[in-house]
Amino acid sequence: MTSAMSPSERRLQKELMSLIKDPPPGVSVDAEQAEQNLLQWTIHMEGATGTLYEGESFQLQFKFSNKYPFDSPEVTFVGSNIPVHPHVYSNGHICLSILTDDWSPALSVQAVCLSIVSMLSSCREKQQPPDNAFYVKTCNKNPKKTKWWYHDDSV
Amino acid sequence: MLRFFISFFSSLFQMMIHILTTKKHIIQNVLSIYIKTTGGNISIDIDPKCDVSHIKKMVAPQIGLQPEELKVIFAGKELGDDIIIEECDLGQQSILHVVKIKPGNVQSKISASSTPNSKTLMPLCESLDDLMFSASSGSRTASISIGNETSTSDSLLDEIEVVANNEKSKPKKVHFYVYCPTCKKLTQGKLRVRCHFCKSGAFTVHSDPQNWSHVLESKQITGTCENDSEFCENILQNKEPTFAEFYFKCSEHISLGENDQAVPLDLIRPNLRQLQCLACFEITETIFSFPCEDDHVTCLDCFEAYCKAKLSDRQFWQHPEYGYTLACPSGCANSFIKEIHHFRLLDDEHYERYHRFATEEFVLQSGGLLCPQPGCGMGILADPECIRITCQNCKYVFCRNCLQGYHIGSCDPPEIQETSGTSGDCGTELNCDNRNGAGDDASRTTIKVITKPCPSCKTPTERDGGCMHMVCTRAGCQFHWCWVCQTEWTRECMGDHWFG
Ligand SMILES: [Zn+2]
Ligand SMILES: [Zn+2]
Ligand SMILES: [Zn+2]
Ligand SMILES: [Zn+2]
Ligand SMILES: [Zn+2]
Ligand SMILES: [Zn+2]
Ligand SMILES: [Zn+2]
Ligand SMILES: [Zn+2]
């Protein structure tokens, strides 16, 4: 059964199982959709209690290439509610270094989710990135093709 | 001479009888081996079930000596009389060395009978099935213990036995993996040893190699060269000590002689400690063990996937000593793969690409440039003065500075270079075309510009639509540049012409 799968499918299958079985708080994966297409997952994320995003819920889309995990996943916020955050553009693109330059195969979907949760949780003022309007107009559809000028990580 | 033939045929006859009396698979049970003596080579067919004393009895008359005067050497060890040939796992056409015992030369023979239950009392066998071998934690050198010295209380051995006990099975067999140039693939290897100086296999080691550096680095283990002193410079000059030289043979094809060697792939190892592949989380029997402090390993499938992923973005590094190579996927420090034959694990198509990129990288680092024609990419080492470059491969004539069809005057994006029109005087350089002018305009108009050089490293870069912001994917460059300005990408570029 597993032998017919490519290494990246084997890895994704394992990650999916553990995310279904043991998801981090506030995070859940659309298992049915992911099982149909292992290369594209939708993940639901709840704003953590006690943060500016409490009560909100978001959707993240993960797209994987067959080079995963040697190549980072393409991660964007999708759906009707995009969090207003200094590192999140209104088109859903996220400015987070582990999604591009600092990606390592030792990271995982779960690790990315936890980073995004903590990125949202540490926000002190709901605000769009300063160059939002311009970026959204001109950027490539794939956020991985953007050279991110990483904003101050403490925001 | 007559005596030679008589004894030869009598031993042959003896052997035939021996073979005929063993019941099963008569044909398959004959092992053809070479006996190398100071008098020359003797080819014999033996029953793998016979012992070393039998070989001595067969060989002694042929070289005019008594069996007691002989010593049989295989893979750096003297074989005791009661060792059964089968236990040495000799391949077909293997070479045993038979030498005359030098007077007063005390050797500790390996004898199978002395402590039969101890696995450390075995000869250095061909496939090393008897060796206990472990990828040690931390020190990242696999420990090999062949020992006829039983004293070494090797904690690594204990570790393996713990693993074995947990699995309720026998300790894992040990294998060395090699790249075999004859089979053209990854195979299991056999460790062999010879004299460092005269390369004679008639050589016994004083101690067993304990780790990979003993095997891979030269002059680590001493031994005794049993070659005739007139043939070994080291013995002649009475230099001490005499060093062993280790090498590997492929165990999957019949030996083609002493020069038939294989390249050890020391990072491919049996997964004795049941480590998990960092990419697919699987625990496989054989692993690729990265040379990093953290013991990161991948399965062989994922190693291949890793190489392919890095190759597609030119993310290999040109290491000054090792060549075009990769480091641990987790980005660990000092984790470059030393032996680039490991990349032979790639399929032909990708290995060829690896080879091409490596060559190109070498060309770029030597100050050369690559033909910008899509699908060509020929490496060209031209005189730095020469602006008009003709590709020897595809005949494309281009400008060194902008990598576009050759032109007179300055390049289109004006910042790049003030070539001042004196572009044709390129001396005698082979790749340079001395003719000025004629035909250049034609090439300029017919060849569509699809590539532009990275302003930092000059690698031809294709633009796949989208924005003007280019990122050089070449390892070590990663330069962010503007397709329009052909200079570093700036906020101004974003503002002025981010989009087409
Ligand atoms: Zn072979
Ligand atoms: Zn020698
Ligand atoms: Zn794997
Ligand atoms: Zn590592
Ligand atoms: Zn060319
Ligand atoms: Zn030019
Ligand atoms: Zn570059
Ligand atoms: Zn520009």
Side-chain angles (χ1 to χ4, degrees):
Chain A
M1 168 220 142
T2 46
S3 61
M5 292 173 113
S6 72
S8 64
E9 287 170 329
R10 286 205 300 265
R11 158 83 175 236
L12 286 167
Q13 190 69 50
K14 287 214 174 74
E15 283 202 49
L16 183 60
M17 288 307 136
S18 87
L19 205 57
I20 292 170
K21 232 180 78 193
D22 191 18
V27 173
S28 66
V29 61
D30 184 336
E32 208 171 295
Q33 189 207 12
E35 266 156 9
Q36 264 170 28
N37 179 7
L38 261 184
L39 298 181
Q40 185 165 330
W41 303 6
T42 303
I43 285 178
H44 303 276
M45 187 176 276
E46 304 290 330
T49 45
T51 71
L52 297 179
Y53 303 93
E54 182 173 347
E56 287 186 73
S57 68
F58 310 105
Q59 268 185 36
L60 281 165
Q61 179 183 265
F62 279 69
K63 283 187 182 173
F64 307 94
S65 77
N66 59 8
K67 294 184 205 162
Y68 184 80
F70 299 113
D71 188 22
S72 61
E74 185 190 318
V75 185
T76 48
F77 278 105
V78 292
S80 51
N81 191 29
I82 307 287
V84 178
H85 183 281
H87 293 179
V88 181
Y89 290 89
S90 57
N91 65 352
H93 287 192
I94 307 162
C95 176
L96 185 66
S97 65
I98 61 162
L99 295 178
T100 51
D101 298 11
D102 294 337
W103 171 257
S104 143
L107 294 168
S108 60
V109 174
Q110 168 150 349
V112 169
C113 289
L114 288 172
S115 294
I116 293 174
V117 168
S118 101
M119 181 186 89
L120 293 179
S121 301
S122 62
C123 180
R124 274 165 276 144
E125 195 189 350
K126 279 195 185 183
Q127 203 175 37
Q128 280 185 341
D131 53 342
N132 183 64
F134 181 70
Y135 175 79
V136 170
K137 221 173 12 180
T138 55
C139 70
N140 195 296
K141 273 209 196 86
N142 180 353
K144 289 176 64 181
K145 295 223 164 164
T146 299
K147 154 74 177 161
W148 294 101
W149 306 80
Y150 292 105
H151 310 122
D152 180 7
D153 259 351
S154 59
V155 181
Chain B
M1 200 60 181
L2 186 67
R3 205 188 80 174
F4 175 90
F5 277 111
I6 290 169
S7 59
F8 180 78
F9 284 115
S10 77
S11 56
L12 203 68
F13 185 67
Q14 258 180 27
M15 212 177 55
M16 301 269 286
I17 303 235
H18 194 108
I19 290 165
L20 291 170
T21 48
T22 53
K23 282 137 275 172
K24 47 180 187 179
H25 309 303
I26 289 164
I27 305 297
Q28 284 163 7
N29 273 344
V30 177
L31 193 60
S32 295
I33 58 171
Y34 289 108
I35 304 290
K36 216 171 174 170
T37 70
T38 44
N41 286 359
I42 303 165
S43 169
I44 59 169
D45 291 338
I46 52 165
D47 175 3
K49 298 221 182 306
C50 77
D51 63 16
V52 168
S53 69
H54 184 84
I55 291 186
K56 288 185 180 176
K57 279 179 208 131
M58 283 172 77
V59 173
Q62 300 188 42
I63 55 176
L65 291 169
Q66 293 303 307
E68 310 80 66
E69 292 180 281
L70 300 182
K71 113 172 144 178
V72 176
I73 297 168
F74 175 63
K77 296 285 177 136
E78 181 186 351
L79 301 181
D81 283 351
D82 44 5
I83 295 273
I84 306 296
I85 293 306
E86 201 172 47
E87 290 169 0
C88 298
D89 190 26
L90 289 171
Q92 291 286 349
Q93 319 296 328
S94 290
I95 295 167
L96 287 182
H97 292 263
V98 173
V99 296
K100 189 183 175 192
I101 294 170
K102 290 172 188 163
N105 194 350
V106 188
Q107 288 284 321
S108 56
K109 280 187 196 178
I110 308 163
S111 166
S113 60
S114 47
T115 357
N117 59 345
S118 167
K119 57 187 172 297
T120 58
L121 286 178
M122 289 300 293
L124 175 50
C125 281
E126 283 236 348
S127 65
L128 291 172
D129 278 358
D130 308 275
L131 305 195
M132 296 317 294
F133 173 121
S134 137
S136 66
S137 50
S139 79
R140 74 179 202 70
T141 43
S143 172
I144 307 160
S145 175
I146 306 163
N148 43 351
E149 297 92 333
T150 41
S151 57
T152 46
S153 62
D154 195 346
S155 60
L156 295 160
L157 288 181
D158 303 339
E159 189 183 340
I160 297 160
E161 279 176 298
V162 169
V163 170
N165 287 339
N166 287 345
E167 292 187 342
K168 294 189 176 92
S169 62
K170 290 177 80 181
K172 293 229 160 141
K173 295 285 186 179
V174 169
H175 302 293
F176 289 123
Y177 296 95
V178 294
Y179 173 74
C180 171
T182 304
C183 303
K184 294 206 177 357
K185 61 170 186 174
L186 173 77
T187 63
Q188 284 180 21
K190 312 163 184 180
L191 178 63
R192 294 302 183 76
V193 63
R194 61 193 170 200
C195 172
H196 175 86
F197 299 95
C198 68
K199 312 294 177 199
S200 166
F203 189 93
T204 50
V205 289
H206 292 156
S207 61
D208 296 310
Q210 298 294 320
N211 55 48
W212 272 106
S213 50
H214 285 161
V215 172
L216 296 178
E217 288 160 27
S218 75
K219 298 193 177 178
Q220 300 292 309
I221 301 278
T222 58
T224 305
C225 178
E226 310 279 357
N227 200 357
D228 270 358
S229 51
E230 55 195 293
F231 296 119
C232 184
E233 207 186 322
N234 194 62
I235 304 176
L236 255 187
Q237 297 173 1
N238 203 20
K239 271 190 211 150
E240 279 299 323
T242 303
F243 284 103
E245 180 177 280
F246 293 92
Y247 64 104
F248 287 83
K249 291 180 91 77
C250 168
S251 65
E252 291 176 27
H253 72 263
I254 291 173
S255 175
L256 305 172
E258 286 188 308
N259 293 325
D260 180 19
Q261 292 187 37
V263 189
L265 302 180
D266 58 302
L267 299 179
I268 300 173
R269 297 178 185 171
N271 192 1
L272 297 170
R273 289 192 292 137
Q274 303 285 293
L275 298 173
Q276 198 182 46
C277 168
L278 68 85
C280 72
F281 303 151
E282 216 95 349
I283 296 171
T284 53
E285 236 173 76
T286 311
I287 47 169
F288 190 93
S289 172
F290 285 91
C292 66
E293 300 279 314
D294 293 343
D295 271 339
H296 288 131
V297 304
T298 60
C299 67
L300 296 187
D301 279 357
C302 287
F303 175 70
E304 201 178 332
Y306 174 50
C307 293
K308 287 179 181 171
K310 289 288 160 183
L311 204 53
S312 66
D313 290 336
R314 280 187 192 262
Q315 294 270 324
F316 278 59
W317 284 84
Q318 183 69 35
H319 188 281
E321 278 171 62
Y322 312 154
Y324 201 51
T325 191
L326 285 176
C328 171
S330 292
C332 300
N334 303 321
S335 61
F336 281 111
I337 297 167
K338 251 188 196 177
E339 175 52 76
I340 58 172
H341 279 91
H342 284 107
F343 301 117
R344 283 284 189 173
L345 288 184
L346 287 165
D347 58 58
D348 287 351
E349 184 199 330
H350 284 90
Y351 184 73
E352 202 205 295
R353 186 182 303 170
Y354 163 80
H355 204 75
R356 183 160 58 80
F357 283 4
T359 312
E360 290 175 2
E361 193 61 30
F362 181 80
V363 166
L364 288 170
Q365 294 211 347
S366 330
L369 67 170
L370 305 175
C371 173
Q373 279 293 73
C376 180
M378 177 83 172
I380 301 167
L381 287 168
D383 190 322
E385 302 299 303
C386 177
I387 304 301
R388 184 182 191 275
I389 309 286
T390 306
C391 172
Q392 297 269 288
N393 186 43
C394 72
K395 309 295 175 219
Y396 180 43
V397 182
F398 62 97
C399 161
R400 183 192 198 105
N401 296 314
C402 63
L403 298 193
Q404 298 178 36
Y406 177 71
H407 56 90
I408 296 168
S410 56
C411 303
D412 250 345
E415 298 92 288
I416 275 293
Q417 173 83 15
E418 53 296 324
T419 56
S420 69
T422 58
S423 44
D425 58 333
C426 32
T428 54
E429 191 57 43
L430 189 72
N431 293 305
C432 240
D433 199 331
N434 275 321
R435 288 170 302 119
N436 234 333
D440 291 341
D441 291 338
S443 59
R444 188 183 186 189
T445 46
T446 50
I447 292 161
K448 228 178 118 200
V449 181
I450 310 169
T451 62
K452 286 185 183 178
C454 161
S456 174
C457 73
K458 302 272 186 230
T459 306
T461 310
E462 285 177 50
R463 181 164 156 264
D464 58 352
C467 70
M468 295 302 169
H469 174 216
M470 309 299 294
V471 183
C472 183
T473 57
R474 183 174 163 241
C477 184
Q478 254 87 48
F479 191 68
H480 289 266
W481 56 284
C482 171
W483 182 264
V484 177
C485 308
Q486 286 187 242
T487 52
E488 189 168 11
W489 183 248
T490 60
R491 294 248 182 213
E492 284 68 55
C493 292
M494 276 176 163
D496 298 342
H497 43 253
W498 198 343
F499 247 144

